[in-house]
Amino acid sequence: MGIVVYEGVMKTMGGKIDHRPTGLFINNEFVPSVDSKETIDCINPATEDVICSVVAGSVKDIDVAVAAARKAFKTTWGKNVTGFERARLINKLADLIERDAQELAELELSTTGSRDFDIGDSVACLRYYAGWADKILGQAIEVDNKTKFAFTRHDPIGVCGQIIPWNYPINMWSWKVAPALACGCTIVMKPSEITPLTALVSPLLFVDSRRGANFPPGVVNTVPSLGPVGGQALSEHRDVDKVAFTGSTVTGRKIMEAAAKSNLKKVSLELGGKSPQIIFESADLDQAANWVALGILYNTGQDCTAGSRLFVQESIYDKFLDICVSKFKQHKIGDGFDDSSAGGPVVSKMQYDKIFSYIDAGKQAGAKCVLGGEKRAGKGYYVDPTVFVDVTPDMKIVRDEIFGPVLSVAKFKTEEEAIELANDTTYGLGAGLHSTDASQCMRVSQALEAGTVWVNQYNLLNNNVPFGGKKQSGIGRELGSYALEEYTSVKAVHWNYGEKLDWPL
Ligand code: NAI
Ligand code: MG
């Protein structure tokens, strides 16, 4: 099978020029758009250079990709492939990503600007779901009649549209692709227009006869496009059975609306957050400060579970704030290709402007900026760790997701007050608490309204533990066995092996 590799000239990795596919990936081939001449520029946020341009898919390209995915679902994949075979292919894919980890890491770094991703996590996610592929079991159910029984099958749901963001491109790709393939679904992937490269290179791993895992054509299709074009087209497509999305709450709402207005496809949404971190007076303050710093500075705050609201018990407030600020000062932000940088720039000019507009709003509302909050001279979208104190619950910097390294800090007196403050948000993605009182940890973790609560740690995930949001942070769960429910549809089969039906009734 021939693969057309469009020439994408990329000036990354210290000026080395590489050739990469820049076409759409449909039916195991890289192809041009059927009707669009538009391209999407990929920009390195550390230098502001355009490193390459990729084909921007259109609504018609989405139609072509969905048709390819449907055909594969009906013929080579779906119910026509065993779990053992799916496991074998997914494991092969994981091996190939592991082999090419360095190359993929450089592609991630050159478009996200950040080193806070781990190709190893993506490999582990694929292997984890390869393990599930032959263990997707239904139930045998006794019914109220001796000559009948019922059983369930967990059928693959069908063709899945998967829309992913730019903050952890390959990791979000693996969270979506791995469970869908394990369950027998076929995929049309729409990567973020800001970071399409790893999703575009990874198809090579699927098919190249020399390098590939050799999945059948149409099982995974990748159509980079602008979100309102390709993402919208997938969400309202009548032949897409499910849309899985990670991104902003605003866009999540549009996706659900489009699903409702078209074919009521199943929707899972992993959306924004404004996650609290609570420090009680009994906490190990030095450790707690490390986790707080990780919580808001990891990936330069461009993290859906960024712990952006810090609540500190009054008795330790001054002391803890000092420790935190001194830790934040040790976090050097610079070019991710420079090994001495702990954090990189933010991903785009748009995100940079958005973050500074929040910083300005915080200052204007009377919050006191005790660290950062100033623009740097020179190139690159750099935002230094920024800390606001004396915040009040109504301020925009306390209510809205900023998606940058901006922490707002407030005091509390009692446990009840801390819970009240922490839950005072429309979001419910993550939450953290630090305390050495085990009963308090249990009480507070129960009371926090969030999909994930971290006790004496923050922001660490495991492939076998579910992840997702409450309130306006999302619907559905990724990771763990829970994600399998998102990609399967339960069929009940009622079986009669003896009962006679008398007629007329
Ligand atoms: P976004 O939510 O608009 O983009 C995420 C994905 O959705 C991208 O692939 C995009 O192309 C696609 N998309 C855009 N419009 C769409 C539509 N109408 N229908 C279907 N798909 C669509 O996020 P954006 O604009 O890149 O960032 C804005 C803010 O969103 C950020 O400042 C941040 O607060 C939040 N965000 C949250 C993320 C999270 O992990 N929770 C990830 C990315 C952004
Ligand atoms: Mg958007």
Side-chain angles (χ1 to χ4, degrees):
M1 166 187 334
I3 298 172
V4 184
V5 179
Y6 286 79
E7 254 182 35
V9 179
M10 307 208 340
K11 282 175 272 170
T12 62
M13 309 165 216
K16 195 174 118 199
I17 294 183
D18 270 310
H19 298 279
R20 307 279 183 202
T22 59
L24 315 173
F25 182 75
I26 299 173
N27 256 329
N28 281 5
E29 311 234 14
F30 287 98
V31 295
S33 166
V34 289
D35 62 345
S36 150
K37 294 269 171 293
E38 281 176 52
T39 56
I40 301 169
D41 287 343
C42 300
I43 294 167
N44 178 345
T47 60
E48 304 180 32
D49 290 332
V50 175
I51 54 174
C52 72
S53 303
V54 303
V55 175
S58 66
V59 173
K60 283 198 178 141
D61 295 318
I62 292 287
D63 282 341
V64 174
V66 169
R70 175 61 61 194
K71 185 166 174 223
F73 186 73
K74 283 184 173 166
T75 54
T76 53
W77 205 250
K79 295 176 196 167
N80 301 300
V81 57
T82 63
F84 302 99
E85 176 63 2
R86 297 197 300 271
R88 188 185 71 76
L89 287 170
I90 299 167
N91 272 321
K92 181 81 197 291
L93 180 62
D95 291 346
L96 295 171
I97 291 182
E98 190 167 55
R99 185 198 63 189
D100 292 353
Q102 180 64 24
E103 177 183 338
L104 291 164
E106 287 174 358
L107 284 175
E108 289 277 272
L109 184 47
S110 58
T111 49
T112 63
S114 174
R115 277 193 286 143
D116 288 333
F117 53 82
D118 191 355
I119 309 292
D121 285 346
S122 307
V123 171
C125 180
L126 286 160
R127 290 196 176 127
Y128 172 76
Y129 282 107
W132 272 112
D134 58 5
K135 299 170 195 71
I136 297 173
L137 307 177
Q139 301 175 358
I141 304 170
E142 265 190 60
V143 296
D144 58 354
N145 183 308
K146 284 209 174 87
T147 58
K148 289 183 179 178
F149 84 111
F151 64 91
T152 59
R153 303 185 71 121
H154 296 190
D155 288 336
I157 199 158
V159 174
C160 298
Q162 303 192 316
I163 304 169
I164 56 174
W166 43 261
N167 49 344
Y168 302 106
I170 198 168
N171 218 13
M172 292 301 100
W173 178 87
S174 70
W175 284 25
K176 299 281 184 286
V177 164
L181 291 177
C183 292
C185 297
T186 57
I187 295 168
V188 178
M189 169 65 64
K190 198 214 79 66
S192 166
E193 52 271 47
I194 302 172
T195 55
L197 297 183
T198 38
L200 266 187
V201 167
S202 46
L204 284 176
L205 306 169
F206 282 83
V207 289
D208 183 321
S209 56
R210 185 173 52 86
R211 298 166 30 122
N214 295 319
F215 279 75
V219 172
V220 177
N221 306 278
T222 305
V223 183
S225 69
L226 300 175
V229 179
Q232 176 82 18
L234 278 173
S235 310
E236 61 193 20
H237 206 291
R238 290 184 180 270
D239 203 29
V240 169
D241 301 297
K242 187 225 157 69
V243 169
F245 171 74
T246 299
S248 63
T249 297
V250 172
T251 299
R253 206 180 290 279
K254 288 184 194 156
I255 288 170
M256 204 162 169
E257 243 175 72
K261 284 186 185 151
S262 53
N263 61 345
L264 286 172
K265 57 180 66 64
K266 186 166 177 159
V267 173
S268 56
L269 305 173
E270 201 266 276
L271 308 175
K274 193 70 190 176
S275 301
Q277 307 195 71
I278 308 174
I279 317 300
F280 290 102
E281 60 193 357
S282 72
D284 174 335
L285 299 191
D286 189 66
Q287 269 302 304
N290 289 351
W291 290 107
V292 166
L294 177 87
I296 186 63
L297 300 181
Y298 191 72
N299 209 30
T300 319
Q302 303 167 110
D303 189 300
C304 46
T305 48
S308 49
R309 294 181 300 138
L310 175 64
F311 300 106
V312 186
Q313 199 150 21
E314 200 174 36
S315 52
I316 52 158
Y317 182 86
D318 292 332
K319 186 173 172 199
F320 187 70
L321 194 62
D322 282 350
I323 302 173
C324 267
V325 168
S326 71
K327 303 258 182 194
F328 279 39
K329 284 182 180 160
Q330 293 164 4
H331 187 80
K332 189 184 156 221
I333 301 245
D335 188 332
F337 279 102
D338 174 354
D339 283 342
S340 72
S341 310
V346 297
V347 76
S348 66
K349 174 81 166 62
M350 203 196 270
Q351 289 303 118
Y352 177 84
D353 290 342
K354 178 183 162 186
I355 294 165
F356 273 103
S357 80
Y358 275 111
I359 290 174
D360 290 343
K363 289 175 181 170
Q364 265 167 31
K368 189 168 149 207
C369 187
V370 295
L371 185 72
E374 300 295 332
K375 287 187 176 172
R376 288 187 188 181
K379 289 249 172 201
Y381 308 128
Y382 293 105
V383 185
D384 288 306
T386 297
V387 178
F388 280 104
V389 299
D390 297 345
V391 302
T392 53
D394 54 305
M395 289 179 182
K396 259 167 84 78
I397 55 164
V398 177
R399 304 221 72 84
D400 294 2
E401 180 177 56
I402 299 176
F403 231 61
V406 183
L407 181 70
S408 66
V409 193
K411 302 182 184 161
F412 65 89
K413 286 196 175 75
T414 63
E415 184 180 302
E416 293 67 37
E417 191 190 355
I419 293 166
E420 194 69 29
L421 285 166
N423 287 341
D424 180 17
T425 167
T426 55
Y427 292 114
L429 198 56
L433 71 114
H434 292 264
S435 165
T436 50
D437 172 348
S439 312
Q440 180 170 56
C441 290
M442 189 54 87
R443 278 193 307 274
V444 178
S445 64
Q446 286 278 62
L448 288 170
E449 293 166 356
T452 300
V453 176
W454 284 283
V455 179
N456 295 324
Q457 59 170 327
Y458 201 81
N459 238 356
L460 298 190
L461 297 173
N462 298 86
N463 286 312
N464 54 352
V465 180
F467 178 78
K470 268 192 89 161
K471 292 155 89 177
Q472 293 182 39
S473 287
I475 296 172
R477 290 292 178 270
E478 301 194 271
L479 302 184
S481 60
Y482 294 82
L484 304 172
E485 289 165 25
E486 305 293 339
Y487 291 100
T488 49
S489 154
V490 177
K491 176 186 289 162
V493 179
H494 292 260
W495 196 297
N496 174 12
Y497 56 94
E499 189 190 54
K500 303 287 181 230
L501 179 64
D502 293 332
W503 201 262
L505 286 174

